[in-house]
C-alpha cells in the first residue's frame, strides 16, 4: 500500500523500508512510526520475506524525534500519545531487522537503530542521545539499550553530556556490526539481510528470540529458554531437512515449517 512517510520494496527475500522525510532529516513523528510499524508487520507476516532492512538517506538515518510536534505537550498528553509506545512494537517482529545507518542517528533515530537486531553503519554515521540539551531524557529505550551495548560509563556520558559516537567508535564499543564506505552502506545491509533470509526461517526466528531473551533473563532462565527453543525445533520439517542435507552433502530446501 502507498505510504506518506516511508517507502517500501522487496529485494529478493528482503523487505526494505526507507524512511522518507528528507525535508526534516527523517525526524520521527507519530505518523511515520505508525507507517513503519504497519510495514514491519506486513513483511513479518509475508512468508516470502526472510529479513527486513530499515534505512534512511546517506545524510541521515533519522536526526531525532520531531520536536515541534511535542514541544508544547503536557505530561498527560505524552503519556497518552502512541509515539513512545510505537517503538515497543518493533520488539514484536519475529524476523531479523537490520538498520542501515548513514549520517545522523540521533535521539529517536539512535533509539530506532538500537531497536533493530543489527546495525550496518556507513563511515559518516553518528550516534547520540542529545535529549538532555532540550531538557528531557531518552524515552524510547536510549538509556537502556545503550547501556547494554556500550556499557555504563559511556552510556552515562552520552545521556548526560551529549557525547556522540562516530561510526568507528560505535564499532569499537559494540554498538554496530560493521562500518563500510557511505556508497556501500545500503548494499552491505541488504547483503547481510539476504544471507540471513536464505537460512532456515524457524531457526532464525528462534535464534533471534533466544539472543533477545539473554538481555532480560538470568543465565539460568536464559539457558532454559534456549534449551526449550532448541528442543522445539526438532518437531519442524526444516530440522529434518537441514540435517538430512548436511548428511547428504547437499543444499537444504527450507520450508519454514
Amino acid at each position: 500500500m502507498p505510504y506518506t512517510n516511508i517507502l517500501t520494496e522487496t529485494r529478493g527475500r528482503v523487505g526494505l523500508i526507507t524512511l522518507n522525510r528528507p525535508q526534516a532529516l527523517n525526524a520521527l513523528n507519530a505518523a511515520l512510526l505508525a507507517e513503519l510499524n504497519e510495514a514491519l508487520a506486513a513483511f513479518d507476516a509475508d512468508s516470502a520475506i526472510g529479513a527486513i532492512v530499515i534505512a534512511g538517506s546517506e545524510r541521515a538515518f533519522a536526526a531525532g524525534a520531531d520536536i515541534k510536534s511535542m514541544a508544547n505537550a503536557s505530561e498527560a498528553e505524552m503519556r497518552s500519545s502512541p509515539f513512545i509506545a510505537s517503538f515497543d512494537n518493533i520488539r514484536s517482529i519475529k524476523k531479523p531487522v537490520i538498520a542501515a545507518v548513514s549520517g545522523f542517528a540521533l535521539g529517536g533515530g539512535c533509539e530506532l537503530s538500537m531497536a533493530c537486531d543489527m546495525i550496518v553503519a556507513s563511515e559518516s554515521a553518528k550516534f547520540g542521545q542529545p535529549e538532555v540539551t532540550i531538557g528531557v531524557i531518552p524515552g524510547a529505550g536510549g538509556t537502556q539499550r545503550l547501556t547494554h551495548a556500550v556499557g555504563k560509563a559511556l552510556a552515562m556520558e552520552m545521556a548526560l553530556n551529549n557525547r556522540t559516537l562516530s561510526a568507528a567508535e560505535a564499532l569499537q564499543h559494540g554498538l554496530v556490526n560493521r562500518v563500510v564506505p557511505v556508497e556501500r552502506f545500503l548494499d552491505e545491509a541488504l547483503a547481510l539481510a539476504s544471507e540471513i533470509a536464505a537460512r532456515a526461517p524457524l531457526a532464525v526466528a528462534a535464534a533471534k528470540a533466544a539472543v533477545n531473551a539473554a538481555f532480560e533473563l538470568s543465565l539460568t532462565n536464559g539457558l532454559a529458554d534456549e534449551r526449550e527453543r532448541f528442543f522445539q525445533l526438532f518437531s519442524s520439517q526444516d530440522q529434518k531437512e537441514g540435517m538430512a542435507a548436511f548428511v547428504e552433502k547437499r543444499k537444504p530446501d527450507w520450508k519454514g515449517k
Side-chain angles (χ1 to χ4, degrees):
M1 66 167 289
Y3 294 106
T4 302
N5 298 284
I6 63 173
L7 303 172
T8 62
E9 60 181 294
T10 58
R11 303 279 186 95
R13 283 182 49 77
V14 176
L16 173 60
I17 302 170
T18 304
L19 309 183
N20 189 39
R21 296 189 71 213
Q23 74 286 356
L25 295 179
N26 292 330
L28 306 175
N29 58 19
L32 185 151
L33 287 172
E35 291 183 1
L36 174 62
N37 278 300
E38 185 174 335
L40 284 169
F43 281 139
D44 204 31
D46 187 348
S47 61
I49 297 298
I52 304 165
V53 171
I54 301 176
S57 65
E58 288 188 1
R59 186 180 179 194
F61 176 71
D66 189 342
I67 303 303
K68 292 180 181 178
S69 67
M70 63 178 71
N72 296 315
S74 66
E75 177 183 345
E77 288 170 334
M78 287 305 297
R79 286 184 182 274
S80 63
S81 168
F83 180 76
I84 293 297
S86 294
F87 286 82
D88 293 336
N89 294 333
I90 300 171
R91 297 179 67 198
S92 68
I93 303 303
K94 295 179 180 179
K95 293 172 182 174
V97 182
I98 299 171
V101 177
S102 186
F104 300 113
L106 304 176
C110 187
E111 289 172 308
L112 176 58
S113 72
M114 292 190 296
C116 297
D117 301 306
M118 287 166 273
I119 302 174
V120 173
S122 85
E123 292 171 337
S124 72
K126 293 188 180 299
F127 299 87
Q129 299 291 164
E131 288 86 350
V132 70
T133 67
I134 55 172
V136 292
I137 67 170
T143 61
Q144 304 305 297
R145 290 191 175 97
L146 261 182
T147 303
H148 278 297
V150 306
K152 176 183 174 181
L154 187 53
M156 282 286 190
E157 191 174 357
M158 293 177 71
L160 276 62
N161 201 37
N162 193 24
R163 163 79 181 272
T164 60
L165 296 184
S166 67
E169 289 173 319
L171 181 64
Q172 174 188 350
H173 292 286
L175 184 63
V176 306
N177 292 74
R178 61 194 65 171
V179 176
V180 299
V182 173
E183 61 271 17
R184 284 179 43 211
F185 84 99
L186 181 55
D187 288 341
E188 189 77 12
L190 290 167
L192 175 59
S194 294
E195 290 177 3
I196 295 170
R199 303 191 185 280
L202 295 180
V204 167
K208 168 177 171 169
V211 171
N212 281 332
F215 283 92
E216 301 185 20
L217 301 176
S218 67
L219 178 58
T220 298
N221 290 335
L223 289 169
D225 177 81
E226 176 193 76
R227 193 163 302 159
E228 179 61 23
R229 296 181 191 279
F230 171 78
F231 291 146
Q232 288 176 0
L233 287 170
F234 277 79
S235 65
S236 71
Q237 293 180 28
D238 278 355
Q239 174 269 323
K240 301 298 185 289
E241 167 64 12
M243 292 192 175
F246 178 84
V247 172
E248 297 164 12
K249 298 181 179 180
R250 60 174 174 83
K251 185 176 180 180
D253 181 17
W254 307 120
K255 301 298 185 183
K257 297 179 181 179

